[in-house]
Amino acid sequence: MLSKIFKQTRTLSHRAFSTTQFQVKSKGTDFTFRAYLTDTNGTNISPWHDVPLKEQGADTDEFTVIYEIARDTTPKMEVATDEEHNPIKQDTKKDKKTGQRVLRQYMLNPCFNYGCMPQTWENNAHKDRETQAYGDNDPLDVVEISMSNKPHLGQQQSVKVLGALCLLDQGELDWKVISLNADEARVSKIRNLEDFNRSNPGALREIADWFRTYKTYEGKPENTFGYEGRFLSAERTVEIVHENNQFYRDLIGGKVENKSGLWLGRK
């Protein structure tokens, strides 16, 4: 388990930044459960559109994550890109036996914190040159490998990008941005995946194995990877973040047609 591989570091006090003005307000249960981000007046805001991609003064390789899933928890939570204000909800799937919709649970505990990057979008009309796959129509996924804290649902935090893994999920391009709590990375002097791997041998392979196999526990085939399964560099990953931020800007600006009913903060 990654929790055993990763060397425990001391708890750090995080820098104050503007997203601390956002609070999380939950309502409903099970299928109706929704967690909304709200501003200081209690007004619903969108974690996808209203949270900044970068905090003022952040380093060039530091970006914001919105946490959806804490490590070792199994409910598959996600930002609802097609609902007003994009609340966080639990994903559903069709039960093979009954044909009814059921709440989705991971059958293999994630060994990392999981979230998404605001103001990014994996363009489902754009074919990636390397993989020949189209984007999965969601914000970029962030795999945050800190063990110093267990984030709450909807928490926002600045993370340092270390690299990326290119998952091909049912033929769709689904980037996994590997990152570390920015304060922890700074104190630990971890700048990239090579630094991390030296002190945590085997942890990156465990992450890749998790993404490769987690759907097999549901009776599905193993996932595959682009780029021959290589982890890409921090520098290339920063480029990927900016590329997907530009896709997002094109979507919001109407340069790309919104064919799938995404809620973009306007009618």
Side-chain angles (χ1 to χ4, degrees):
M1 294 295 293
L2 182 60
S3 58
K4 295 180 181 178
I5 295 173
F6 197 111
K7 295 179 180 178
Q8 182 71 40
T9 58
R10 65 184 180 88
T11 302
L12 303 170
S13 58
H14 306 307
R15 292 175 299 165
F17 56 96
S18 63
T19 53
T20 56
Q21 67 185 291
F22 303 141
Q23 304 298 317
V24 180
K25 178 179 67 178
S26 300
K27 67 177 185 179
T29 59
D30 298 331
F31 289 95
T32 64
F33 174 84
R34 297 294 185 273
Y36 290 89
L37 259 64
T38 65
D39 62 16
T40 53
N41 296 318
T43 303
N44 290 339
I45 63 170
S46 167
W48 188 16
H49 306 306
D50 297 325
V51 176
L53 173 62
K54 289 181 67 70
E55 292 307 317
Q56 186 174 5
D59 291 344
T60 57
D61 57 357
E62 293 179 4
F63 301 91
T64 303
V65 61
I66 306 294
Y67 287 110
E68 299 161 309
I69 302 167
R71 68 179 185 277
D72 294 325
T73 60
T74 59
K76 175 64 172 70
M77 310 302 292
E78 61 181 19
V79 168
T81 56
D82 59 350
E83 294 186 17
E84 185 175 15
H85 301 299
N86 309 122
I88 300 174
K89 67 174 185 178
Q90 189 168 355
D91 191 17
T92 63
K93 65 178 182 178
K94 182 182 288 188
D95 185 271
K96 291 182 179 180
K97 294 182 179 179
T98 66
Q100 301 296 314
R101 302 301 297 181
V102 295
L103 294 171
R104 187 175 171 197
Q105 300 269 352
Y106 287 127
M107 299 182 71
L108 181 65
N109 283 8
C111 50
F112 44 79
N113 299 316
Y114 203 33
C116 68
M117 197 172 286
Q119 299 189 25
T120 62
W121 178 58
E122 296 195 67
N123 187 348
N124 62 349
H126 174 79
K127 181 185 286 188
D128 179 68
R129 182 179 301 177
E130 170 73 20
T131 63
Q132 296 297 294
Y134 292 91
D136 73 347
N137 201 36
D138 283 326
L140 282 172
D141 289 327
V142 177
V143 174
E144 197 272 305
I145 53 182
S146 169
M147 287 295 295
S148 67
N149 73 311
K150 194 168 185 177
H152 62 74
L153 185 68
Q155 181 178 333
Q156 313 95 46
Q157 191 172 73
S158 187
V159 295
K160 184 179 184 67
V161 164
L162 303 180
L165 188 62
C166 181
L167 182 68
L168 298 177
D169 188 354
Q170 297 181 332
E172 293 182 330
L173 184 65
D174 189 7
W175 287 109
K176 305 302 176 184
V177 176
I178 314 299
S179 68
L180 184 63
N181 173 329
D183 288 333
E184 187 169 316
R186 191 172 295 108
V187 170
S188 303
K189 295 181 170 48
I190 293 177
R191 300 162 298 173
N192 50 45
L193 290 178
E194 288 74 20
D195 290 343
F196 176 78
N197 198 48
R198 273 193 291 272
S199 56
N200 302 278
L204 295 177
R205 182 47 48 198
E206 183 181 358
I207 291 170
D209 286 344
W210 191 93
F211 281 108
R212 179 175 56 81
T213 63
Y214 78 95
K215 287 190 175 180
T216 64
Y217 293 84
E218 303 173 11
K220 297 179 180 179
E222 288 187 350
N223 282 323
T224 59
F225 300 98
Y227 296 83
E228 300 178 332
R230 301 190 310 274
F231 284 91
L232 302 189
S233 69
E235 293 78 13
R236 175 65 184 116
T237 304
V238 170
E239 293 176 355
I240 291 167
V241 172
H242 288 299
E243 288 168 2
N244 284 270
N245 174 246
Q246 187 58 56
F247 290 149
Y248 169 84
R249 291 173 179 270
D250 291 344
L251 175 67
I252 293 296
K255 294 182 179 180
V256 177
E257 186 177 357
N258 179 14
K259 295 182 179 180
S260 49
L262 301 172
W263 191 80
L264 304 180
R266 53 181 168 80
K267 300 295 183 181

